[in-house]
Amino acid sequence: MQISLNQLTLPNFKLWIGVSERGLVFVGAPNGAKDEINNFYDPATIDTAEISNLAGFKKWFVSYFAGRKSAMPPIDRTIGTDFQRRVWRTLEQVTYGTTVSYGELAEKMGQKTAARAVAHAVSHNPVMYLVPCHRVIKSDGKIGQYSSGPELKAALLKMESQGGELEWPSTTP
């Protein structure tokens, strides 16, 4: 798979996105480093060729962070292992503005004893926001971990559940 990596400049931050011929394969952390993509893909597969629909992707992210729902841009559904893809498909069914625990997500998949494996798959999601890993919380109701920090996760959950624009936590990079 060949990946084109480009940076989007959004109202409050910059965001690296990676796209294959099938759709998004990577969304970086807000103001994250360009090489963050190397945590998911072999650097030899990445170039900086212009993404043909960069404006379309930008429109979706601007809309999302303003608290508006819109049709999702395409995601390359061939990424990840079979198990990861099953977890991510199930995760996409978690409704905007709601949360689910790792155990509940495992149960929805018909594997109620696989909460740890589900948590591992969630943590390896390369397409943040679109595959909404921020909607997964700990069974005790606490926020838990997030690749971009628990403050951003809490802000995303607040934006989705209460409406309105994302209120950027002061600790966002």
Side-chain angles (χ1 to χ4, degrees):
M1 165 182 10
Q2 190 63 32
I3 300 170
S4 295
L5 182 67
N6 284 203
Q7 188 175 55
L8 296 178
T9 300
L10 302 173
N12 295 314
F13 62 93
K14 293 182 179 187
L15 190 70
W16 288 99
I17 64 168
V19 178
S20 76
E21 65 184 22
R22 291 188 171 111
L24 277 167
V25 295
F26 172 75
V27 178
N31 296 325
K34 182 178 181 179
D35 64 359
E36 182 184 351
I37 193 171
N38 298 338
N39 296 330
F40 300 97
Y41 301 103
D42 179 350
T45 66
I46 302 164
D47 63 45
T48 54
E50 185 69 25
I51 295 171
S52 62
N53 187 22
L54 195 60
F57 290 112
K58 180 176 181 173
K59 183 178 178 182
W60 186 87
F61 284 104
V62 167
S63 178
Y64 174 75
F65 291 116
R68 297 185 304 268
K69 292 185 257 178
S70 61
M72 279 196 346
I75 299 172
D76 185 336
R77 306 246 182 235
T78 64
I79 57 177
T81 66
D82 289 342
F83 182 76
Q84 286 172 327
R85 287 193 301 268
R86 283 186 51 227
V87 170
W88 299 337
R89 279 193 307 271
T90 306
L91 183 54
E92 287 180 73
Q93 297 169 13
V94 177
T95 308
Y96 185 96
T98 65
T99 59
V100 65
S101 72
Y102 295 103
E104 291 167 333
L105 195 59
E107 262 187 71
K108 286 178 187 271
M109 293 176 57
Q111 295 188 259
K112 75 183 216 180
T113 61
R116 286 182 189 261
V118 164
H120 185 71
V122 168
S123 73
H124 285 82
N125 167 25
V127 195
M128 295 186 342
Y129 316 116
L130 289 102
V131 176
C133 51
H134 60 277
R135 294 183 192 151
V136 184
I137 60 172
K138 295 171 68 175
S139 60
D140 63 5
K142 292 183 180 170
I143 293 290
Q145 297 298 311
Y146 189 56
S147 62
S148 295
E151 297 84 7
L152 179 58
K153 182 174 182 173
L156 288 166
L157 293 173
K158 180 179 177 185
M159 175 193 76
E160 289 187 1
S161 67
Q162 296 179 7
E165 288 189 29
L166 179 65
E167 294 177 23
W168 285 94
S170 60
T171 56
T172 301

